Amino acid sequence: MDRLVKPDLEELKLSFIRGQKSSATFKLTNLMHTMSVAISLSTTKPSVFSFSHPFTIVPPLSTASFTLFLTNSCDQPPLSTPLDTVMVKSSMLPTGKASQDDLHRLFSRTGSHIFKDAKIPISLVGPQVVEFLLSPNSSVSSKTLLDVSLLLPKALSFCGGCQLDSLLRCAAKNGNSDCIAALIEAGADVNRRGSDGDSVMSLAVKSGNLDSVQVLIESGYTIDNSADMSLHYAAAMDRVDLMEILCLGYVDIDLNSNDYQGRTPLHIAAIHGHVEVIQFLVSVGSDTHMLDAQGWTPLHFAAHQGHVEAVGFLLNHSTIAKYTVTKQGKTAYELATNKGHCKLYDLLQLGDTLHRAARKGDVADIKKCIAEGANVNGRDQNGWTPLHRAAFKGRIEGVKLLIKHGAKLDVVNYCGNAPLYLAIEAGHKEVAMYLIAQGAKANLKSFKAKGVVSCDLNYVKNHHTHLHTFNFL
C-alpha cells in the first residue's frame, strides 16, 4: 500500500476576498478497513496558508473535512508560481488514540511509518485575483515573476457571467490581449457594453494595443456605427495603425460617424493637427465638407488651432470649406485671425485676395495684401502665382510691384508655363519686355511648340537692349 488516505480533489481552490482570511475546505478518506489513521497537514508556506488543526485522527473507512486558511487577511492575493501546495502525510495508528503532542512527535520522526499520501496544489481564484493579474499598476514587485498564463485560467474558474464581462472590460482597458483572449474563452460577452455605453473595442483602442483590437475583431466583436467611437479615439491619439486595422476588420465601418457634438473622426484629427491621420481618413473616403453641430468643418478646427500643415492639406482636398461659415457666421480665415494665427492668413484668404488684385491690376489692393502678410509667390489650385495672373492680363504696374516685393520670375504653373510665356501668349509686349529686363528667361522652342503667334518676338528683340538675357534656342 502506497498511501493510507485519499483526498476528494486534485486541486484546492481558495476564493480570495480582500481584507478577509479566506478559506477552502477539502476532505480526506481513510482507506484502511480496520485501523485508524493519523494525519499531518502542512503547506509549503506556513506564513501564508495554515490549518487550525494540523494533526487529526480518522477512523477506519471514514471521511474527515479540513479547512485551509489564509494566515493573514491581505489586500492583494499572495500568488506564486509554481503553486503553493498542501502536503498530506499519514501514519497507521493501531490504538486509534493520541494527543496532539503525541501526533507531533510521531510525524517529527522520519521513517517507513510515514506515508506521503498527497500534494494538493493551492489555487487562489475569483474576480479579485483576476483583477490583480490584469492590473498593470500592481505594487507587488514579484508579480513580474508570476506565470500569468498558468494562474489566470485557474482564477477565472470561479467567475460568473457578469463578472467575466466586467473583467473583460478591465483587460481591454489595460490592453492585455492574452487576458482578453482568456476571458472570452471563459465565456465573457465580447459585445456587451458598459453602463456608460462604451464598448470593449473602444476601451481596447484607447489602450493603444493593436493585438487587443485584433483579438476582439477575430472573436466576433460587432461594430455599431451609431455608438462606436473607436475611430474618433484613434484619431485623437494620432494612431493611423489602429485606424487601418479597424477599417480592414470592418468594411462597413462609418468613416463619417458622429460623436455627441456631431464631429467625425476627421474633425477630431483636425482639432489635434494630426496630418497623417487626416491624410489616411481622406484617402479612404472621409468627407472634408462635413459639418458638426455648430456648423464647423474640419478646416474650421484646423484653422482655429493654427495647424498650418493640416490646413494646407484640407484646402487641397476641399472645394468649398474655405468659404463655409459656421453657425456664428465665421469662415476659417476669421477663426484664424481671431486667434492670431498669421501663418494661415495667406492660405485661407489673403492669397485669394492677392490673386484677384493681381488679375485686376489693383495696385492698392496688392500693396495692402502684401502688407498684411500675403505670400507674393503663393500658388492657386492651378499652380499660378499672382505674377502669372498680372502678366497674363497685362497689368504692367501690378507686375512691377509684385517683382519689387520678391515675385519669382521663372516659376512655372502646373502646365509648365512661366509668367513671361503667358504675357507673350496674351500679346502683352510691354509686360514681356519688362519681365525680360528683370531677368526672365525666354525659350523660343516652347513658344513654337505652343504655336504662339500673337506677340511679335522681333518687336521684343528690337526694343530691348539686353538681348543676352533673352535666351532664344
Side-chain angles (χ1 to χ4, degrees):
M1 177 175 288
D2 57 354
R3 63 179 178 175
L4 303 180
V5 296
K6 179 182 179 180
D8 66 337
L9 43 73
E10 295 182 354
E11 181 178 3
L12 186 57
K13 296 181 178 181
L14 190 153
S15 183
F16 174 80
I17 301 175
R18 288 188 199 92
Q20 295 187 18
K21 295 180 69 172
S22 306
S23 62
T25 300
F26 64 101
K27 296 178 180 180
L28 293 174
T29 299
N30 183 355
L31 300 177
M32 302 294 292
H33 288 71
T34 59
M35 190 176 298
S36 296
V37 171
I39 294 175
S40 168
L41 300 175
S42 61
T43 64
T44 47
K45 291 182 181 176
S47 60
V48 178
F49 302 103
S50 58
F51 294 92
S52 55
H53 301 290
F55 302 110
T56 306
I57 299 172
V58 181
L61 296 178
S62 296
T63 298
S65 295
F66 303 89
T67 301
L68 174 74
F69 296 92
L70 275 178
T71 303
N72 299 297
S73 60
C74 49
D75 293 330
Q76 294 177 327
L79 299 169
S80 66
T81 47
L83 298 175
D84 294 318
T85 59
V86 172
M87 292 169 288
V88 181
K89 297 180 182 180
S90 62
S91 181
M92 289 183 284
L93 192 64
T95 62
K97 294 181 181 180
S99 66
Q100 289 292 306
D101 289 339
D102 292 335
L103 294 175
H104 184 270
R105 285 191 292 271
L106 174 65
F107 286 103
S108 297
R109 302 193 309 269
T110 59
S112 58
H113 67 290
I114 302 296
F115 288 77
K116 297 179 180 179
D117 290 277
K119 286 186 176 180
I120 307 173
I122 304 170
S123 293
L124 293 171
V125 299
Q128 294 185 8
V129 178
V130 178
E131 288 174 5
F132 172 81
L133 293 173
L134 296 180
S135 173
N137 301 315
S138 172
S139 61
V140 180
S141 59
S142 62
K143 181 185 171 185
T144 57
L145 304 176
L146 297 177
D147 184 353
V148 176
S149 63
L150 168 67
L151 297 173
L152 184 60
K154 296 180 182 298
L156 286 172
S157 63
F158 265 48
C159 297
C162 292
Q163 292 173 329
L164 289 172
D165 294 342
S166 176
L167 292 167
L168 178 60
R169 294 177 61 79
C170 181
K173 183 177 180 179
N174 293 331
N176 193 323
S177 58
D178 291 334
C179 291
I180 289 173
L183 284 158
I184 294 172
E185 184 176 353
D189 184 353
V190 72
N191 286 302
R192 176 170 290 181
R193 293 180 177 271
S195 56
D196 57 359
D198 229 355
S199 65
V200 290
M201 179 62 82
S202 294
L203 294 172
V205 170
K206 287 180 182 179
S207 79
N209 187 275
L210 279 173
D211 290 338
S212 296
V213 173
Q214 188 63 48
V215 167
L216 291 173
I217 292 173
E218 294 173 354
S219 299
Y221 177 79
T222 302
I223 199 80
D224 182 349
N225 284 316
S226 66
D228 274 304
M229 296 292 108
S230 295
L231 286 177
H232 290 75
Y233 299 140
M237 296 162 58
D238 198 15
R239 290 292 300 273
V240 174
D241 53 349
L242 286 170
M243 305 185 89
E244 287 176 338
I245 198 172
L246 287 166
C247 290
L248 287 171
Y250 303 102
V251 294
D252 59 341
I253 195 168
D254 186 0
L255 298 168
N256 298 307
S257 60
N258 298 323
D259 64 11
Y260 71 99
Q261 294 175 301
R263 297 172 183 172
T264 67
L266 188 57
H267 281 99
I268 303 302
I271 290 170
H272 294 280
H274 295 326
V275 178
E276 289 187 8
V277 172
I278 294 172
Q279 292 171 340
F280 171 78
L281 286 169
V282 171
S283 72
V284 294
S286 291
D287 188 349
T288 58
H289 302 129
M290 289 285 289
L291 306 178
D292 76 348
Q294 297 302 314
W296 287 45
T297 65
L299 179 63
H300 283 107
F301 281 109
H304 185 258
Q305 297 297 328
H307 300 309
V308 177
E309 190 175 356
V311 166
F313 181 85
L314 289 167
L315 284 173
N316 287 332
H317 292 81
S318 173
T319 57
I320 62 172
K322 183 190 292 190
Y323 312 105
T324 303
V325 295
T326 67
K327 288 185 176 181
Q328 292 75 36
K330 300 288 186 179
T331 63
Y333 173 75
E334 290 170 318
L335 292 171
T337 55
N338 288 344
K339 287 290 186 176
H341 300 310
C342 56
K343 291 183 178 180
L344 294 177
Y345 296 174
D346 181 74
L347 281 171
L348 292 170
Q349 180 167 308
L350 291 181
D352 288 350
T353 305
L354 179 58
H355 274 259
R356 185 166 55 251
R359 186 175 69 251
K360 293 180 178 180
D362 189 330
V363 173
D365 268 2
I366 292 174
K367 289 181 178 179
K368 181 181 179 183
C369 288
I370 293 174
E372 290 178 354
N375 180 2
V376 74
N377 291 301
R379 296 174 177 271
D380 65 10
Q381 67 273 17
N382 298 311
W384 287 46
T385 66
L387 187 58
H388 280 97
R389 294 289 178 191
F392 184 64
K393 288 294 185 178
R395 313 300 188 188
I396 184 63
E397 296 303 321
V399 168
K400 291 179 179 179
L401 183 59
L402 290 167
I403 292 174
K404 178 182 176 181
H405 284 87
K408 295 180 180 178
L409 294 170
D410 297 314
V411 64
V412 297
N413 61 21
Y414 296 154
C415 292
N417 302 323
L420 176 59
Y421 174 90
L422 296 177
I424 294 173
E425 183 182 46
H428 301 304
K429 299 176 184 179
E430 185 181 5
V431 171
M433 289 174 63
Y434 183 80
L435 289 171
I436 293 168
Q438 297 302 310
K441 297 177 182 178
N443 187 318
L444 185 58
K445 181 178 179 181
S446 66
F447 298 151
K448 290 180 178 179
K450 292 290 184 179
V452 176
V453 296
S454 55
C455 180
D456 185 351
L457 293 178
N458 289 323
Y459 177 93
V460 175
K461 289 192 283 184
N462 292 335
H463 288 77
H464 196 277
T465 58
H466 303 290
L467 295 181
H468 65 277
T469 64
F470 193 17
N471 182 27
F472 289 99
L473 298 179

